[in-house]
Amino acid sequence: MSNYDDLFRHENEQPAPQSDQPFDKEAWAQKKQEQRETVYTMIDDTAGAVSQDGAKFQGYLDVQSRFDRYSVSNSLLILAQKPTATRIADFDTWKEQGAYIRKKESGFYILEPGEEYQRDDGTTGISYNPKKMFDIAQTGNSRKRETPSYPDERTRLKALMDHAPVPIRISETLPSGVNALYQPDTREIQVRRGMDASSIFRALSQELAHAEMDTGDGNYNRSEHGLHAYCASYMLCKQYGVETGGFYHFEGAPQMLSALEPQVIRAELSVIKEAAGEISSRMNRLLNQQRQQKRQEPER
């Protein structure tokens, strides 16, 4: 349970006007603003915690890999309040799906877009409002214990390579200990011959992340984006069921973020999310096409 819950009590209940005490719109707006500020503080605090602790940093990557369509800020909020969440929705959505929240379960909060507003400089902004959510594990939904299904190894690798931003070639000459390598000067990826499928996925996904981040202006610096690519590869492995144990280590990762302000930390995490997201979007397009084709095949 989050220690911020008390600040959101009755957040969805607008006070009924009283004959002797009419509804105070300004006071209500002030309360909502305070709630938003509390959530933003939670985001900043969690970003700071992620930058100081390797286990917490890895926990964030785990959450973001499960909620790859959610913003960095919302993933940080989930990490702070319900780090084991796997599938979330608000009360009404669960009810529509025939699942009901169990008694005594406490919700947690993410931000959803609200109304547009005019900033002082004349530009348009979007307000974000806290929204109470519940994880599937907090419901009576019988599907919550389903085991995730992943594509087979060959299909998974085919999806990873589909519409890659640069050519991918087998190499006999990679240095010892290097299983794949993106070369910015030639804009191609070389992959060591003879590896097993999981090793190829781990190595190739990391180099594809480098290729995604390279704008092609000739100034790409691998070392500056090493952590981004490493983390994107980890997230992709978690998403598609590739073994990560013993292959990824995050003890030193926070050292690269620890001196940064929360806003900058979120920006760095966004680079990771976007690199992984570009690759997973391509993968999902192919995987979805294959699923659709199988459904359309006549029974034999």
Side-chain angles (χ1 to χ4, degrees):
M1 183 186 299
S2 168
N3 60 353
Y4 295 92
D5 284 352
D6 61 312
L7 295 169
F8 298 93
R9 192 170 291 122
H10 310 307
E11 70 162 331
N12 294 321
E13 299 176 12
Q14 181 166 307
Q18 303 291 327
S19 57
D20 59 342
Q21 187 178 358
F23 172 62
D24 188 336
K25 183 177 180 180
E26 290 186 2
W28 181 251
Q30 177 64 29
K31 181 180 179 181
K32 300 297 288 186
Q33 179 61 27
E34 290 173 356
Q35 291 175 349
R36 281 192 290 269
E37 290 174 356
T38 298
V39 168
Y40 284 123
T41 297
M42 191 191 306
I43 293 170
D44 284 349
D45 289 347
T46 309
V50 162
S51 73
Q52 300 292 330
D53 183 273
K56 183 74 73 172
F57 181 83
Q58 187 171 1
Y60 159 78
L61 295 177
D62 290 339
V63 169
Q64 188 73 81
S65 69
R66 293 195 299 273
F67 297 94
D68 57 317
R69 295 186 180 182
Y70 280 62
S71 67
V72 167
S73 292
N74 277 335
S75 293
L76 289 169
L77 287 172
I78 295 171
L79 175 66
Q81 301 167 92
K82 200 71 174 177
T84 59
T86 57
R87 179 181 165 197
I88 67 176
D90 61 17
F91 182 90
D92 290 337
T93 300
W94 282 126
K95 185 177 180 180
E96 290 170 1
Q97 296 178 9
Y100 293 86
I101 308 303
R102 296 199 303 264
K103 290 182 178 180
K104 298 184 179 179
E105 290 286 354
S106 296
F108 53 95
Y109 300 89
I110 64 171
L111 289 169
E112 67 170 356
E115 297 179 351
E116 293 185 351
Y117 66 93
Q118 290 294 119
R119 299 190 181 97
D120 292 339
D121 62 4
T123 59
T124 300
I126 300 176
S127 63
Y128 287 84
N129 301 311
K131 184 175 184 179
K132 180 181 280 191
M133 308 292 279
F134 296 88
D135 181 44
I136 191 171
Q138 297 176 284
T139 74
N141 195 316
S142 62
R143 295 178 296 170
K144 65 187 178 186
R145 293 184 175 85
E146 285 184 354
T147 301
S149 60
Y150 301 110
D152 62 75
E153 291 181 335
R154 178 172 290 276
T155 301
R156 189 164 53 198
L157 281 178
K158 184 178 179 181
L160 181 64
M161 293 185 287
D162 186 58
H163 286 82
V166 296
I168 302 171
R169 311 185 193 286
I170 290 294
S171 174
E172 308 278 0
T173 60
L174 285 174
S176 177
V178 176
N179 289 335
L181 182 65
Y182 169 63
Q183 298 179 318
D185 54 341
T186 60
R187 290 199 45 90
E188 70 173 21
I189 297 173
Q190 296 182 358
V191 179
R192 180 179 297 280
R193 183 184 296 278
M195 294 191 295
D196 62 84
S198 293
S199 296
I200 294 173
F201 191 99
R202 285 188 290 267
L204 179 56
S205 59
Q206 184 168 338
E207 299 310 304
L208 280 169
H210 276 293
E212 288 291 349
M213 292 182 285
D214 186 357
T215 62
D217 62 1
N219 297 316
Y220 187 73
N221 188 323
R222 281 183 58 93
S223 62
E224 290 181 359
H225 294 285
L227 177 63
H228 301 132
Y230 186 79
C231 294
S233 173
Y234 174 81
M235 286 174 55
L236 290 164
C237 288
K238 297 295 286 189
Q239 281 182 261
Y240 295 98
V242 178
E243 177 63 36
T244 59
F247 297 102
Y248 295 86
H249 305 279
F250 296 99
E251 295 86 350
Q255 295 178 8
M256 306 178 72
L257 304 173
S258 59
L260 303 177
E261 294 295 320
Q263 183 176 359
V264 181
I265 294 170
R266 293 199 304 273
E268 293 295 316
L269 298 179
S270 293
V271 174
I272 297 169
K273 175 187 180 301
E274 290 168 8
E278 287 293 329
I279 298 169
S280 64
S281 293
R282 291 199 307 269
M283 293 183 68
N284 288 334
R285 279 195 292 270
L286 179 66
L287 294 173
N288 289 336
Q289 288 173 4
Q290 292 190 346
R291 293 188 192 102
Q292 187 174 1
Q293 289 172 358
K294 286 184 178 180
R295 287 194 295 265
Q296 294 174 346
E297 289 177 357
E299 295 185 4
R300 297 181 180 180

